[in-house]
Structures are given as C-alpha cells and as structure tokens.
Amino acid sequence: MSGLRGLREWWSARRRFEFCLTVAMVVTLTGLCGAVVMLPNSALPKPHAAEATDAVGQAPATDPRLAEVRRSIEPFGPIVARQVSTGDGQQSLVVGHPAQRIEIDVLERELAAATTAVTEVWGTDWAQASTVVVASSPSEFAGLVHAGAAMSTEVAAASVADPFAPGTRPTGQRIVFSPDAGRRLDPDGLRTLLRHELTHIATRADTRDGAPLWMLEGFADYTAHRDQGRPFADIAPSLTARARLHALPGDLPADAGFTGPDAAATYEQAWSVCAYIADKYDEPRLVELYRRIAATRQTPATEDQILQTVLGLSRTEFIADWRNWLSAQTI
C-alpha cells in the first residue's frame, strides 16, 4: 500500500514539475514577435492539397486572423479551424491540423470558460477574442512562436504578440500549443495552461518587459488555478513540503528562479504570493497591484512604495505577512 501511495505522489509531483517547466519557458517567449515567420522552404514538408475546415464551428475564410495563421501552417498540411464565441459576443479561433483533433476539441470546449475566468479577475478591458493554434511538428511550433532553432522541446505552449508601443494595444497575439502538448498534459492540464496563457494575453497591454516575474507569472498562475477546487497542497506540493519543514521563503521569488532546477518551486511561490493577496485583501487590489508593478522594471525600493500605496504595508511587512499566511495554509 505504501508503494502505491509513493507511486501516486511521484506521479503527481512529476505532472506539476512538467507543467511548471512548460510555463517557465514561456518567460523567454512572451512579447516576442514580428510578422508571421516562415521557415525556409527546405525545412518545410511538401504542401498538401487544401482541405475544407470542419463544418461545425467552421471559421469564416474571410477572418483576417485565420488568413494570417494559414500562411504559416498551411504548408504543414490540411487545416482544421473552429470558431468559438467568447466574451461579450466576440469570436475566437482554434486552429490546427487533423492529427491534433483531440487537442483542438479540448481547447475549443474550454476556450469560452477560460476567457470568462480571466475576465472575472482582470475585467473586460481586453479583446476577449483569442487565436489558439496547435502545431503539428517542432519546426511548425518554432516558426509560430518565432523561436527558430533555439526552441526548447520542453515548451508545451507559448503566447506571442507583435511589437507595440506603450499606450497602444498589442496586435498579432496568439497562443501556440506544441505538437505533444496533449500527450504531456491531460485535459485538466491543458485547461490550466490555456488559462495561464490567456492571462498573459489579457494583461499584455499593461505589462512591460523586465517587470518582476513573481507578479507576472504568479498572477497568471493564480488566474489559471482559481475556482478549480484544488487544495493548496496539490497546487504547491514543493512549497507545502518546505513550509512543513519550517523552510519558508525569505524573499519574493527572484527572476532567475523561474528557469533551471528550481523553476517548479519558484512558480509555486509566485502563485502563493498572488493567492495570499486575493485571500487577505481582495482580487481588485491584486489587479491594481499587478497594473502598478507590471508597468515597469522594479527594485525593492519601488516595490516597497507600491505595496505601501496599494496594501498599506512595507515590503518587509508584506513578506512577513505572506510567510504567516503560508504557515496557516500548510498546517
């Protein structure tokens, strides 16, 4: 019996690690862009004859978003394109190839609810119309996220956007899932990752490169896990174990921790910071804190000023209170 329990714990930890490692790689991709990039013809498979998209939920051929994606993915084979009603009468797209139909079905089914979940936290001040693409091969995935040969095989999804000037709205935003995302993540994992990436899409206009990742990634993870009924220990198993050993974090997660061997634990800590703020204060103040902290690069001194303004705590007091909250969650 103890062997079976150990196997279950190992499998749960592995799934959480793979999810966090996946999201960690997104840090280097969010905000990258340009016009849609095509790999050299020599690197592409030979084009297939065009096939009709699915009749149910078929995306109109005149949709400019579909036309843009088609230029990148049509050389890789026939296309399946689904239209999904999301938020305030908006229309989102889920696009891929027949071989990824299972993943496309899951994402199509989850997209409306995921959009609502993000809007419930962030508000309606975002497009609420997304483009989600499922790649069929590593080369197609790399081309869609503009990563080229540097693309890591560990990445299961990434959100990208065209460059945009401060004060303007980002364009060309899309979420791209890797060809093996469905093999590595079950439907619950795909749903969570979709909500995480949609949060990056929703907040992109208010986010500047170089802003603290504890806020950016913690907020995306908070929205992804919110109201899914999972206990603290399931979302943050590593943090729970450390807290029970009285090895609580001494500071807010540093950017460097979001990659490398401690990435899973760092993501758990970042999620817990935002969960603490929402629980101890409320979600509107969590959103206000995000907008202020994500607006530019920060230092401990500037974070201190923002925390004083929004929550009435110094940075030192904030960390101490967060640690106390952690202890209470892991008793």
Side-chain angles (χ1 to χ4, degrees), residues 17-96:
F17 174 76
E18 286 185 350
F19 172 74
C20 290
L21 185 59
T22 288
V23 199
M25 297 303 299
V26 175
V27 173
T28 62
L29 297 172
T30 302
L32 288 181
C33 37
V36 173
V37 173
M38 293 292 293
L39 295 176
N41 288 337
S42 60
L44 296 174
K46 293 181 180 179
H48 296 256
E51 292 189 9
T53 57
D54 285 6
V56 178
Q58 178 176 336
T62 55
D63 190 320
R65 297 169 300 172
L66 180 58
E68 180 183 359
V69 171
R70 186 185 294 276
R71 287 195 293 272
S72 277
I73 74 172
E74 198 164 42
F76 291 88
I79 296 172
V80 174
R82 307 271 181 81
Q83 189 175 67
V84 182
S85 295
T86 53
D88 198 25
Q90 301 297 312
Q91 297 296 324
S92 292
L93 294 177
V94 180
V95 187

Side-chain angles (χ1 to χ4, degrees), residues 242-300:
R242 294 183 185 188
R244 288 173 178 168
L245 293 173
H246 306 290
L248 293 169
D251 200 352
L252 298 173
D255 285 5
F258 287 87
T259 56
D262 292 328
T266 303
Y267 269 90
E268 290 176 12
Q269 291 175 28
W271 164 79
S272 74
V273 174
C274 292
Y276 148 70
I277 296 166
D279 182 50
K280 182 69 181 289
Y281 299 92
D282 52 38
E283 285 184 346
R285 271 184 282 191
L286 172 60
V287 171
E288 182 183 357
L289 196 64
Y290 182 98
R291 291 182 185 275
R292 289 173 180 263
I293 288 181
T296 187
R297 292 177 181 271
Q298 301 292 344
T299 66

Side-chain angles (χ1 to χ4, degrees), residues 85-194:
S85 295
T86 53
D88 198 25
Q90 301 297 312
Q91 297 296 324
S92 292
L93 294 177
V94 180
V95 187
H97 301 282
Q100 280 70 46
R101 196 179 297 270
I102 292 176
E103 292 91 330
I104 291 170
D105 287 346
V106 172
L107 294 170
E108 177 191 17
R109 185 170 64 247
E110 295 292 342
L111 188 52
T115 301
T116 298
V118 173
T119 300
E120 285 176 351
V121 179
W122 184 250
T124 59
D125 187 24
W126 67 292
Q128 300 181 64
S130 309
T131 301
V132 180
V133 186
V134 184
S136 63
S137 68
S139 57
E140 182 181 17
F141 185 41
L144 285 165
V145 299
H146 315 302
M151 190 67 191
S152 170
T153 58
E154 297 296 335
V155 181
S159 55
V160 294
D162 295 339
F164 66 100
T168 64
R169 290 286 181 182
T171 59
Q173 294 203 95
R174 61 177 172 266
I175 298 168
V176 186
F177 282 80
S178 73
D180 65 346
R183 177 181 61 81
R184 293 163 55 188
L185 298 170
D186 61 14
D188 286 344
L190 287 173
R191 177 176 64 244
T192 301
L193 189 53
L194 175 63

